[in-house]
Amino acid sequence: MNKQTIVADTIDMVKEKLNNEGSGHDWYHIERVWKMASKLAAKEQANSYIVELAALLHDLIDDKLVSSKDEAVQEVEYWLEGAGVSSSDSERIMDIIQTISFKGGNGRKLTTLEAQIVQDADRLDAIGAIGIARCFTYAGSKGDVIFNPELSVRESMTEKEYREGPSSAVHHFYEKLLKLKDLMNTETAKQIAEERHAFMEDFLIQFFNEWEG
Ligand code: ADP
Ligand code: NI
């Protein structure tokens, strides 16, 4: 099986799977991460085949989307085998998708360039105009308000508190989004993050101007 066919088949499978996803992990999130990751891979001279497959599959084992993570991991492994991916490539891909998410990553620096790239691409999609849109969509789906001035910003919290505790979309900027710029791994992503970060800061200035009337 050639690599192009494997990537194309994976696109079809992921598209089908994430068809009706409403929490910001829809196919278009995956498509943006995949395209950004491909671009970063070219600039950073990484293995683009590994990067592309890991980007396409990165959210299929997210515990926000699946009821059993172990089963989801097995399903993806099974898919790769069936698609004709060699077992050593499959191992590299599975390793990336299991370690990149910020929650699962535990702040541990990723060791391979390919993993760093997929993580950067995923994080870039959480900032800038798209990141703002995703934040409000996610907050809405969780029942959070746009902003609640009575809540404080939680600087450090457990994953459960972060996920379930009372918050607001605007709080999420301070709890996570504004920190992402400094967490980028690659030089290329750092550059792209600058502009997106500045846009979020402008957004917040305008937001609070309007809030205060
Ligand atoms: P990923 O795409 O890396 O899996 P997450 O699952 O952590 O990202 O979050 C998906 C999107 O929802 C991101 O844009 C993120 O910023 C946003 N998000 C996550 N948690 C919250 C929250 N508590 N409030 C608002 N937005 C959130
Ligand atoms: Ni993602």
Side-chain angles (χ1 to χ4, degrees):
M1 194 79 76
N2 80 42
K3 292 180 173 177
Q4 236 172 328
T5 313
I6 293 174
V7 172
D9 288 351
T10 305
I11 289 171
D12 289 344
M13 182 276 287
V14 175
K15 232 186 223 172
E16 172 74 24
K17 239 188 155 118
L18 297 181
N19 218 347
N20 288 313
E21 222 290 309
S23 75
H25 295 90
D26 54 296
W27 160 250
Y28 296 106
H29 163 65
I30 307 300
E31 186 178 52
R32 291 188 302 269
V33 173
W34 167 54
K35 287 186 174 163
M36 176 58 75
S38 307
K39 182 169 139 177
L40 297 177
K43 292 233 181 201
E44 302 281 335
Q45 297 171 355
N47 181 325
S48 68
Y49 169 68
I50 297 291
V51 164
E52 286 189 52
L53 287 178
L56 287 166
L57 297 167
H58 85 273
D59 268 340
L60 290 189
I61 60 162
D62 190 308
D63 42 23
K64 283 199 232 55
L65 298 184
V66 299
S67 46
S68 156
K69 187 151 184 157
D70 293 343
E71 269 173 41
V73 166
Q74 256 186 357
E75 259 180 54
V76 176
E77 278 171 348
Y78 192 67
W79 159 263
L80 288 170
E81 192 186 335
V85 176
S86 75
S87 59
S88 67
D89 285 344
S90 172
E91 252 175 59
R92 290 176 72 184
I93 294 161
M94 293 311 297
D95 189 56
I96 295 173
I97 67 175
Q98 290 179 86
T99 49
I100 57 155
S101 67
F102 3 88
K103 44 254 172 205
N106 292 331
R108 195 150 65 80
K109 179 98 176 160
L110 300 170
T111 49
T112 71
L113 176 60
E114 285 73 21
Q116 292 178 352
I117 284 174
V118 178
Q119 186 179 55
D120 281 354
D122 197 27
R123 286 176 169 172
L124 284 169
D125 207 55
I127 63 175
I130 301 253
I132 294 172
R134 290 182 76 213
C135 175
F136 286 98
T137 301
Y138 187 98
S141 79
K142 175 168 174 276
D144 284 348
V145 292
I146 294 173
F147 177 54
N148 179 349
E150 283 162 33
L151 293 172
S152 52
V153 172
R154 298 162 300 171
E155 273 305 330
S156 68
M157 57 197 139
T158 64
E159 176 58 23
K160 192 169 151 64
E161 285 168 338
Y162 170 66
R163 195 70 66 72
E164 293 167 7
S167 189
S168 77
V170 168
H171 278 70
H172 188 64
F173 283 73
Y174 298 96
E175 290 171 350
K176 185 165 100 183
L177 307 185
L178 294 170
K179 297 175 180 169
L180 292 176
K181 167 177 78 78
D182 294 327
L183 294 173
M184 296 296 159
N185 302 293
T186 64
E187 278 313 308
T188 313
K190 280 180 192 162
Q191 280 168 23
I192 298 168
E194 285 298 333
E195 190 192 358
R196 296 187 184 196
H197 183 87
F199 186 83
M200 292 195 295
E201 287 188 322
D202 290 346
F203 172 82
L204 289 168
I205 290 169
Q206 176 77 12
F207 183 91
F208 285 112
N209 282 341
E210 293 180 17
W211 188 271
E212 273 139 35

